[in-house]
Amino acid sequence: MLANPATALELDHVSRHFDGRAVLSDISLSIPAGKITCLLGQSGCGKSTLLRIISGVDRPDPGGRVLVGGTEVAGPGRFVEPEDRRIGFMFQDYALFPHLSVADNLAFGLRHLSRPERRERVAKVVERIGLGHLLDRYPHSLSGGEQQRVALARALAPRPSILLMDEPFSNLDQGLRERVRRETVDILRETGTTAIMVTHDPQEALAVGDMIVLMRAGRIEQVGTPFEIYDRPCSAYAAEFMGPCNRLTGLWSQGRIETPIGAFRADLDMPDGALALACIRPQALSIGPDGQGISARVMAKTFTGESEQIDIMVHPLAQTLRMHSHVRIPMGIGDKVSLQLNGAQVHVFPEEPGTDDPLDQS
């Protein structure tokens, strides 16, 4: 097979079973070179297992293949050891050696090079990431952000063809997490590194990924750019995982779903009379003075700083609808209002009874 220079990694029908239970089921995927790909999904969906198979720490079931740069590194009758794959791994806890200085941590994976080559390689990565003032320090004396930067530098020093990152920002506080994440993404883009990052946070995947691979119960649910996967989800599961939704069940009739708050068109191949599901983003809803839309009542308001979260009741719905507003709403709890909708933020799917909740992390 000839290597496609635009493709850094290919997974071909990769599955993995443990004790008879399928953790991964028939995963086929191409990872673009020089881009950041996020493996996204709830706990237990198989994303970390997939990362271990890519790295060579684990093997796929017989029949599955892993190709790096067009070369098979795992498949029928072939297995390349992790150290020979040119794949870097950045662990969730950073895994810095506590007894080694920062300089020695950075040089640890370069023992195959001569001493002058090691010094040159460390100097370049130190300059790139800005670690010169930390070289004589030890991991225990570093802040969380500094440890993360050292771990990134150590992973990049051997110049891997692919960098794997398993929840790399989860140990950082929120404010620090966002800053370090931006710095890391900037470095990866400047160096043209092909990176695969595991995360359970859809907002993080949307902010970081050039491509998102949404996983569900060991399978790929959807692959796309952040805009594609958020604006055009392939299923109710994908829509709800990528952001909050109000769920409304209705009847499908003549190319649209009929709900108590209106009818919404969609391109679905369904018979008239079938049940359909409308997933309505909170930002699709707005309210105004009573008498200018669908009659509703304000049931709750929660101020979150950047926006206000408002729960409204519309007859005959049994549950409230939730909306987000970045504009201060003068109406108070109990006031009658009029509900208005932006149909562009409504996603319609066939009804799937018993669908698992994407927000259930148990």
Side-chain angles (χ1 to χ4, degrees):
M1 177 181 291
L2 294 176
N4 181 352
T7 301
L9 172 76
E10 293 178 71
L11 303 173
D12 181 27
H13 299 290
V14 169
S15 298
R16 188 68 173 100
H17 288 72
F18 293 105
D19 299 324
R21 182 176 68 90
V23 178
L24 293 173
S25 299
D26 199 29
I27 301 291
S28 291
L29 180 67
S30 294
I31 299 295
K35 304 293 184 181
I36 302 174
T37 297
C38 289
L39 300 182
L40 173 66
Q42 63 186 5
S43 299
C45 73
K47 53 190 187 295
S48 292
T49 298
L50 191 58
L51 216 62
R52 290 195 295 272
I53 287 175
I54 293 170
S55 70
V57 175
D58 196 4
R59 298 175 183 241
D61 289 348
R65 299 194 308 151
V66 179
L67 297 94
V68 176
T71 300
E72 186 173 286
V73 296
R78 178 167 173 78
F79 184 80
V80 176
E81 295 296 333
E83 59 269 22
D84 297 322
R85 294 192 180 190
R86 289 197 60 228
I87 292 179
F89 207 125
M90 186 172 166
F91 297 92
Q92 183 175 3
D93 61 358
Y94 311 139
L96 299 176
F97 298 109
H99 62 291
L100 297 181
S101 67
V102 167
D104 290 337
N105 263 283
L106 296 181
F108 186 83
L110 307 175
R111 288 173 294 177
H112 62 289
L113 301 177
S114 67
R115 185 167 296 179
E117 288 175 320
R118 281 201 301 270
R119 284 198 297 267
E120 180 183 2
R121 190 75 64 84
V122 169
K124 286 184 177 180
V125 76
V126 164
E127 181 182 4
R128 171 79 66 175
I129 301 182
L131 298 175
H133 61 298
L134 300 177
L135 289 179
D136 295 328
R137 303 262 297 274
Y138 284 80
H140 72 271
S141 68
L142 304 178
S143 68
E146 289 170 339
Q147 289 185 34
Q148 199 275 349
R149 291 167 65 200
V150 171
L152 175 63
R154 187 179 65 178
L156 291 177
R159 297 176 182 168
S161 60
I162 301 171
L163 175 62
L164 308 180
M165 309 169 75
D166 192 359
E167 301 273 7
F169 312 111
S170 60
N171 289 336
L172 302 175
D173 294 336
Q174 182 62 34
L176 180 60
R177 180 185 309 151
E178 293 180 4
R179 179 175 65 80
V180 172
R181 187 174 67 197
R182 284 195 303 270
E183 292 175 353
T184 301
V185 169
D186 288 345
I187 291 168
L188 294 176
R189 298 205 191 286
E190 287 172 10
T191 56
T193 301
T194 301
I196 304 174
M197 187 181 87
V198 161
T199 180
H200 66 275
D201 183 350
Q203 299 305 312
E204 183 166 84
L206 290 171
V208 170
D210 297 301
M211 184 172 85
I212 296 175
V213 180
L214 176 61
M215 297 184 65
R216 174 187 182 187
R219 297 182 181 274
I220 293 176
E221 182 76 5
Q222 186 172 358
V223 178
T225 67
F227 288 111
E228 289 169 344
I229 208 165
Y230 185 85
D231 292 338
R232 296 188 294 279
C234 69
S235 64
Y237 182 90
E240 292 183 287
F241 197 96
M242 298 311 297
C245 287
N246 296 290
R247 297 171 60 104
L248 286 181
T249 299
L251 289 178
W252 184 255
S253 176
Q254 299 182 341
R256 61 185 189 176
I257 180 176
E258 304 279 356
T259 78
I261 64 171
F264 308 102
R265 291 198 171 276
D267 185 16
L268 295 177
D269 183 15
M270 293 176 56
D272 286 356
L275 285 178
L277 176 68
C279 292
I280 305 174
R281 299 282 186 204
Q283 59 267 32
L285 305 177
S286 60
I287 57 175
D290 189 28
Q292 298 181 6
I294 301 168
S295 182
R297 189 178 297 275
V298 176
M299 304 303 293
K301 298 176 70 176
T302 305
F303 181 55
T304 61
E306 291 184 358
S307 65
E308 200 166 19
Q309 181 175 286
I310 302 167
D311 294 340
I312 51 180
M313 179 61 75
V314 179
H315 180 77
L317 297 180
Q319 292 184 323
T320 58
L321 300 175
R322 176 158 293 175
M323 64 165 283
H324 295 161
S325 175
H326 291 281
V327 178
R328 301 291 180 264
I329 300 296
M331 298 80 164
I333 296 174
D335 287 355
K336 290 186 67 177
V337 295
S338 290
L339 173 66
Q340 298 161 348
L341 289 98
N342 163 22
Q345 292 288 332
V346 178
H347 307 294
V348 182
F349 309 99
E351 175 75 348
E352 298 180 38
T355 299
D356 49 331
D357 183 353
L359 301 181
D360 181 5
Q361 301 293 315
S362 61

